[in-house]
């Protein structure tokens, strides 16, 4: 059985990853401001990891990922 990710077109993969990455930036900024971090290396690491993780999860799970984010947020 093919996974949903294998049936996606290239532009849809880019869109899913990009939207997930934007969520990752938002989450990373929330973490940075909540803990008042000032170490540039730590801030960079948090942002990069959050972008990658959210982007990959959005790409792999698509609408399921966004439903979980919505349920978590509200």
């Amino acid at each position: 059985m093919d996974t949903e990710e294998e049936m996606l077109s290239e532009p849809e993969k880019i869109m899913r990853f990009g939207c997930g990455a934007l969520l990752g930036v938002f989450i990373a900024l929330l973490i940075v401001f909540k803990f008042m971090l000032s170490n540039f290396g730590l801030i960079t690491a948090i942002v990069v990891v959050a972008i990658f993780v959210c982007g990959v999860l959005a790409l792999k799970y698509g609408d399921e990922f966004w439903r979980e984010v919505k349920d978590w947020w509200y």
Side-chain angles (χ1 to χ4, degrees), residues 42-63:
L42 181 59
I43 291 171
T44 303
I46 289 171
V47 170
V48 168
V49 168
I51 287 172
F52 180 75
V53 168
C54 289
V56 168
L57 289 174
L59 175 62
K60 183 160 180 69
Y61 296 108
D63 292 334

Side-chain angles (χ1 to χ4, degrees), residues 1-46:
M1 185 169 129
D2 291 333
T3 63
E4 184 180 346
E5 184 180 346
E6 292 172 356
M7 296 183 293
L8 298 174
S9 67
E10 199 63 31
E12 189 172 359
K13 287 180 182 181
I14 293 169
M15 178 64 75
R16 282 188 177 193
F17 186 86
C19 291
L22 286 175
L23 176 66
V25 169
F26 179 71
I27 290 172
L29 291 176
L30 287 175
I31 292 170
V32 167
F33 287 122
K34 180 175 181 167
F35 296 108
M36 296 301 219
L37 301 174
S38 59
N39 182 332
F40 181 75
L42 181 59
I43 291 171
T44 303
I46 289 171

